[in-house]
Amino acid sequence: MTSTGLVVLGLGARSGVADDELAAAAGAGIAAAGLRPGDVGVLATLDRRAGETGPRAVAARHGWQIVSFTAAELAAVDVPHPSGVVALRSGTPSVAEAAALFAAGPGATLIVPKTVFLPGVTVAIARGRPA
């Protein structure tokens, strides 16, 4: 972890979204935060998405670690923008925000709240507390 804290990109996406689309959404989120891809250390998502080619390709392209969480784990994370629609589809009211916050650790803060950058792709970015 750097002195400024771990930066985590949380990714929520429909199944089967192409890696180029995921990469474009991730890039838009990173730009919205005023960051560069190299500032991000982790891509965090729902366990069902982490096994797909798209998220794995995006993480590999940037040298990010990929971490995943179950819907139950994500549902336990307090988020500012829960969604009933997401809860019905995935079993948790938040994927992008919850995954980013959970992966960034206790005391993490959102620097980009969940934002839909492309249809079916949501990005949130959190920063962990400095070491």
Side-chain angles (χ1 to χ4, degrees):
M1 191 154 54
T2 67
S3 62
T4 59
L6 175 67
V7 176
V8 178
L9 184 138
L11 179 69
R14 290 188 182 134
S15 180
V17 176
D19 59 315
D20 287 343
E21 292 180 52
L22 296 176
I30 292 165
L35 300 172
R36 295 168 296 137
D39 296 326
V40 175
V42 175
L43 184 151
T45 192
L46 187 63
D47 57 355
R48 296 189 299 264
R49 287 307 152 258
E52 292 184 9
T53 304
R56 291 202 162 296
V58 172
R61 181 181 305 173
H62 295 292
W64 301 335
Q65 177 185 3
I66 188 166
V67 297
S68 64
F69 306 102
T70 65
E73 288 173 314
L74 295 178
V77 178
D78 186 30
V79 296
H81 306 103
S83 168
V85 172
V86 171
L88 288 173
R89 289 185 180 157
S90 65
T92 176
S94 174
V95 174
E97 284 182 340
L101 287 167
F102 197 43
T109 58
L110 284 174
I111 55 176
V112 175
K114 77 173 184 180
T115 306
V116 177
F117 286 101
L118 291 172
V121 183
T122 303
V123 170
I125 300 176
R127 184 182 305 274
R129 292 174 59 185

